[in-house]
Amino acid sequence: MDDLVSGFPRKFSWKGGKTINPKTNTPYEAIIGQENFAEIWWLEEALKAAKKVARIKKNGGTATGFMISEDLFMTNHHVFREKEDTFSAKIQFHFKANKDGSANKPDEWVCDATSLFKSDKSLDYAIVRLKPQSGLKPGQKWGYFDLSAEPHLIDNQHVNIIQHPAGRRQEIVFRDNQLMAIEPTVIQYLTDTDYGSSGSPVLDDHFNLIAIHSRRVEDPNAKGSWYRNQGYRISAIYEEIIEYLDHDLAD
């Protein structure tokens, strides 16, 4: 043990960020690189947001979507291009893993596209009404996101995506994921996704909805390589679908 100091080899080289606060000339203690503290409410809001997100199981694969009103569900246009694409789809909430590795039985709902369906290729979104069960609408049970006001976006802010990658049980990619580009209708970000993540909500660090995840983006300097993910901003979509939404959009 003589060659160890506090559990590290004597030749251990510091790889963190600045160790001295330039304003106070005092040590930063154990802050390594960028601060990553979060108050416990952050976890509570993450769990609340996760309840609004569901796996889509349909002929030909899986995807992700989320509630935007008491009975309206949103995903990508490339998931639901036509009404017929929804007919065999199962919308599965609460499909998640438990600590022991077991999985919850999903709470399954079906679409009512004959009542309401809208799909837009240019912004890659689709909305569809879900049928109630026992007089209860899915958004009354699981909650829904407020689309009425998009938070202010800035470069390099954190974004979080709750998703069903590759059709797996619900997962979250969070914190170390920067917003890299902000355009009027799209944003691009460094956040892990997979096939099956299409239609996932892109959330800021207060779990406000800012975009719907759409696709990966090819590196303009390296053909065949992917360097960012891209989603369409909810503020752009909202103007097209406001007439379909419930009057009270608050959680």
Side-chain angles (χ1 to χ4, degrees):
M1 297 294 292
D2 291 342
D3 61 342
L4 295 179
V5 177
S6 299
F8 292 105
R10 289 184 182 277
K11 294 183 179 180
F12 170 76
S13 177
W14 176 249
K15 299 295 186 182
K18 297 177 181 178
T19 60
I20 301 296
N21 186 327
K23 295 181 180 179
T24 63
N25 202 36
T26 57
Y28 268 129
E29 296 296 337
I31 298 174
I32 315 269
Q34 184 179 15
E35 291 187 19
N36 227 353
F37 297 113
E39 294 189 19
I40 293 302
W41 66 257
W42 192 92
L43 297 176
E44 296 168 343
E45 290 301 307
L47 291 173
K48 186 189 298 184
K51 292 179 180 180
K52 308 168 189 177
V53 182
R55 181 176 76 160
I56 302 169
K57 189 175 181 180
K58 66 188 188 84
N59 293 337
T62 63
T64 304
F66 50 92
M67 296 302 300
I68 59 171
S69 78
E70 288 188 349
D71 60 0
L72 292 185
F73 185 74
M74 177 178 284
T75 188
N76 289 137
H77 163 82
H78 71 260
V79 175
F80 289 156
R81 291 182 171 87
E82 308 289 344
K83 287 183 180 181
E84 290 73 16
D85 295 328
T86 72
F87 291 168
S88 63
K90 306 299 182 184
I91 311 300
Q92 300 175 323
F93 294 90
H94 204 52
F95 182 57
K96 65 185 187 69
N98 299 308
K99 184 178 178 180
D100 62 4
S102 62
N104 284 350
K105 182 180 180 181
D107 181 33
E108 200 165 85
W109 300 67
V110 296
C111 300
D112 186 11
T114 56
S115 173
L116 191 148
F117 178 80
K118 177 176 174 61
S119 191
D120 184 277
K121 183 178 181 180
S122 63
L123 295 174
D124 197 19
Y125 76 86
I127 59 173
V128 62
R129 178 164 285 143
L130 302 188
K131 291 183 179 179
Q133 296 182 14
S134 303
L136 187 68
K137 297 176 181 180
Q140 294 172 323
K141 183 174 183 178
W142 297 111
Y144 51 91
F145 289 105
D146 180 0
L147 274 64
S148 61
E150 181 189 53
H152 180 64
L153 303 181
I154 58 174
D155 289 334
N156 298 314
Q157 75 179 72
H158 292 299
V159 296
N160 310 289
I161 299 183
I162 300 171
Q163 55 186 290
H164 287 276
R168 297 193 299 269
R169 296 169 291 190
Q170 195 174 76
E171 299 177 14
I172 181 171
V173 181
F174 62 96
R175 298 297 289 170
D176 289 330
N177 307 289
Q178 284 74 42
L179 188 56
M180 303 303 294
I182 304 171
E183 301 294 339
T185 60
V186 300
I187 58 172
Q188 293 181 347
Y189 36 87
L190 304 179
T191 311
D192 293 337
T193 61
D194 201 346
Y195 294 104
S197 300
S198 293
S200 299
V202 183
L203 309 163
D204 70 6
D205 226 17
H206 284 74
F207 291 93
N208 299 305
L209 181 66
I210 59 176
I212 180 171
H213 172 66
S214 176
R215 62 182 178 87
R216 58 191 178 180
V217 178
E218 188 175 52
D219 188 337
N221 299 313
K223 189 173 178 60
S225 298
W226 314 104
Y227 82 135
R228 291 178 183 173
N229 273 302
Q230 179 169 291
Y232 285 88
R233 294 179 62 173
I234 290 300
S235 58
I237 297 172
Y238 178 72
E239 296 303 320
E240 291 197 0
I241 66 172
I242 185 173
E243 64 182 288
Y244 303 107
L245 297 171
D246 294 341
H247 293 298
D248 182 7
L249 291 173
D251 288 338

